[in-house]
Amino acid sequence: MASPPLLTPTSKPKPPTLLKHKLPTSTPKSATSTPNPNTSLPQTHRREFISLVAGILSPVMLFPLPALATSDEEYVKEAEEVISKVRTTINMDKNDPNVAAAVADLREASNSWVAKYRREKALLGRSSFRDIYSALNAVSGHYISFGPTAPIPVKRKARILEEMDSAEKALLRGR
């Protein structure tokens, strides 16, 4: 088996040979003739057509539009629902038999709320979104770390309720 020749600074590499598509032609080719520009014309049109179609269809097919919130009223309504669920869940007695179910319901509601509104660029700057998101993060982190029946410490509970109050005020002001 022969190894390829080594390239040295004094040797000149051969230019790579181009693969040419053979099209049937009626004129004979001479050994010194240049390639006919008309033979590559159909290939060029095909490529332009394919790139044009790909450019038009790729944003629609590859990048579907994100699910945007339908209105500001929907955001306010769902934010108020999440706030009320947080308040009722963290104010429940630790001996209440429905605590675990309420925490599971709160976790599901908070995950869906965050997943829906986290991508909304218009809502990210709102103080209501920031406060609700922070409170949901604190509540979820507590229940994930300590379990659904563990009571929330007094300081953390006070901070969460304060964030919920400020979020409600911001929602009423349209912020």
Side-chain angles (χ1 to χ4, degrees):
M1 213 166 141
S3 62
L6 294 175
L7 293 177
T8 61
T10 57
S11 66
K12 290 187 177 182
K14 294 181 183 179
T17 58
L18 298 175
L19 298 175
K20 295 182 182 178
H21 183 67
K22 294 183 180 181
L23 293 175
T25 59
S26 59
T27 58
K29 291 184 180 179
S30 65
T32 59
S33 70
T34 59
N36 188 358
N38 293 334
T39 59
S40 64
L41 189 61
Q43 185 76 15
T44 305
H45 286 300
R46 227 178 300 142
R47 287 182 183 159
E48 288 174 357
F49 175 74
I50 290 174
S51 65
L52 177 68
V53 169
I56 292 171
L57 293 180
S58 66
V60 175
M61 303 289 280
L62 298 177
F63 306 111
L65 296 174
L68 300 175
T70 57
S71 66
D72 191 49
E73 293 85 23
E74 181 183 357
Y75 167 74
V76 171
K77 183 183 76 128
E78 290 184 6
E80 288 174 349
E81 289 173 4
V82 168
I83 289 172
S84 68
K85 282 186 182 183
V86 168
R87 282 202 174 124
T88 57
T89 303
I90 66 173
N91 287 326
M92 290 179 96
D93 187 33
K94 70 176 184 176
N95 296 327
D96 191 346
N98 298 327
V99 171
V103 169
D105 187 39
L106 175 64
R107 181 177 295 160
E108 182 180 325
S110 66
N111 285 344
S112 65
W113 187 86
V114 168
K116 183 173 184 178
Y117 294 111
R118 178 177 36 200
R119 294 188 204 115
E120 295 280 337
K121 301 243 186 274
L123 299 177
L124 292 179
R126 285 187 170 193
S127 57
S128 62
F129 177 82
R130 182 187 63 235
D131 290 339
I132 294 171
Y133 188 87
S134 175
L136 289 176
N137 194 18
V139 170
S140 296
H142 172 78
Y143 287 128
I144 287 171
S145 297
F146 301 108
T149 57
I152 295 180
V154 176
K155 285 185 179 180
R156 186 176 296 157
K157 186 176 182 179
R159 184 179 67 89
I160 291 168
L161 291 174
E162 182 181 322
E163 286 178 341
M164 291 291 129
D165 290 338
S166 65
E168 274 187 331
K169 288 177 187 174
L171 283 173
L172 291 175
R173 294 179 188 151
R175 297 181 186 168

